[in-house]
């Protein structure tokens, strides 16, 4: 198994260097970025197992960087490094889809434990996210913009199927097979009915719509940008 590759975005060179040494000692591969723009560029260049992201960064802030990441493919675990009393940073970070945060000055052992937890979550593929929507397959929790959304079992299955196939247009037959199973003999209109239920719960009242109708074909879950 190859070493998990961690991108550390931190402008304070001393902290970045300590993180690099400690993480490499623990068997991780580490790449450092010293400002937000460099972090974004490196993030886009390859797949990462985890991001350690400082909030106060020159150029592009940690929260802005996180926003860009989560508006794209968005599944890479992110742990935010926040200043001691910046409660609003933590809330904003979690709302934007950060997996966790650690307060500076941090204990390296605590940070390592959180990194291990975040990497486990990733390997289980338990948390999927898009834009400000997160779906936890393990706990069946769905959040949008920090708000909890209650779904029925079938609505949840439909959402998970759409998430797993995000940005792909799915026709009614594919959705029926994927969510209701091959042995469903009912009307394909059931798909439209459940899409409507999901829309009411996920998109209603939000400026950014995630579920889109492709006329004559079917449906797609995507970020419109
Ligand atoms: Ca900083």
């Amino acid at each position: 198994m190859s070493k998990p590759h961690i991108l550390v975005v931190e402008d304070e060179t001393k902290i970045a260097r300590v993180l690099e040494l400690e993480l490499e000692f623990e068997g991780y591969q580490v790449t450092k970025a010293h400002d937000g723009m460099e972090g974004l560029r490196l993030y886009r260049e390859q797949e990462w197992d985890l991001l350690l992201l400082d909030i106060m960064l020159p150029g592009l802030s940690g929260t802005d960087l996180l926003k860009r990441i989560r508006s794209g493919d968005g599944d890479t675990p992110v742990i935010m490094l926040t200043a001691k009393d910046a409660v609003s940073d933590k809330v904003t970070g979690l709302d934007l889809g950060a997996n966790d945060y650690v307060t500076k000055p941090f204990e390296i052992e605590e940070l390592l434990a959180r990194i291990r937890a975040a990497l486990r979550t990733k390997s289980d593929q338990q948390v999927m996210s898009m834009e400000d929507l997160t779906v936890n397959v393990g706990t069946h929790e769905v959040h949008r913009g920090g708000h909890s959304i209650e779904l029925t079992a079938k609505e949840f299955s439909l959402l998970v199927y759409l998430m797993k196939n995000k940005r792909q247009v799915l026709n009614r037959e594919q959705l029926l097979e994927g969510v209701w199973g091959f042995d469903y003999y009912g009307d394909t209109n059931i798909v439209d009915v459940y899409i409507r239920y999901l829309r009411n719960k996920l998109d209603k009242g939000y400026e950014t719509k995630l579920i889109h109708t492709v006329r004559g074909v079917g449906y797609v879950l995507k970020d419109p940008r």
Side-chain angles (χ1 to χ4, degrees), residues 9-12 15 54-58 81 104:
V9 189
E10 168 62 82
D11 59 314
E12 287 162 77
I15 297 179
D54 184 30
I55 297 226
M56 298 289 284
L57 289 169
L81 304 174
K104 288 194 210 174

Side-chain angles (χ1 to χ4, degrees), residues 60-202:
L60 187 67
S61 77
T63 38
D64 285 338
L65 177 53
L66 181 61
K67 236 182 263 178
R68 305 253 187 124
I69 289 172
R70 289 299 188 236
S71 68
D73 277 348
D75 290 345
T76 310
V78 174
I79 297 178
M80 307 288 287
L81 304 174
T82 69
K84 198 164 63 183
D85 297 317
V87 177
S88 64
D89 284 349
K90 294 170 197 166
V91 175
T92 309
L94 293 175
D95 274 353
L96 289 171
N99 299 66
D100 209 343
Y101 61 84
V102 171
T103 309
K104 288 194 210 174
F106 47 81
E107 295 289 332
I108 195 71
E109 286 307 323
E110 185 196 352
L111 178 62
L112 291 172
R114 285 168 189 250
I115 288 174
R116 284 192 296 271
L119 289 172
R120 267 200 303 278
T121 306
K122 185 185 185 238
S123 65
D124 295 345
Q125 287 295 319
Q126 286 206 313
V127 179
M128 297 184 282
S129 62
M130 166 178 273
E131 181 79 4
D132 55 353
L133 174 72
T134 56
V135 178
N136 188 318
V137 181
T139 61
H140 277 225
E141 286 172 314
V142 178
H143 286 89
R144 182 146 193 208
H147 300 284
S148 172
I149 295 170
E150 297 289 330
L151 296 181
T152 65
K154 195 53 88 184
E155 290 163 356
F156 185 79
S157 304
L158 176 59
L159 177 59
V160 169
Y161 191 78
L162 288 166
M163 280 293 254
K164 284 184 175 165
N165 297 285
K166 60 189 176 188
R167 288 187 296 277
Q168 294 176 46
V169 180
L170 300 163
N171 63 36
R172 287 172 184 76
E173 287 70 29
Q174 286 171 310
L175 288 165
L176 263 186
E177 266 179 35
V179 179
W180 280 265
F182 291 99
D183 51 354
Y184 181 82
Y185 289 110
D187 197 325
T188 58
N189 283 340
I190 188 117
V191 173
D192 305 300
V193 171
Y194 272 85
I195 289 282
R196 197 163 66 236
Y197 291 159
L198 261 191
R199 271 192 169 137
N200 275 332
K201 293 184 178 179
L202 292 185

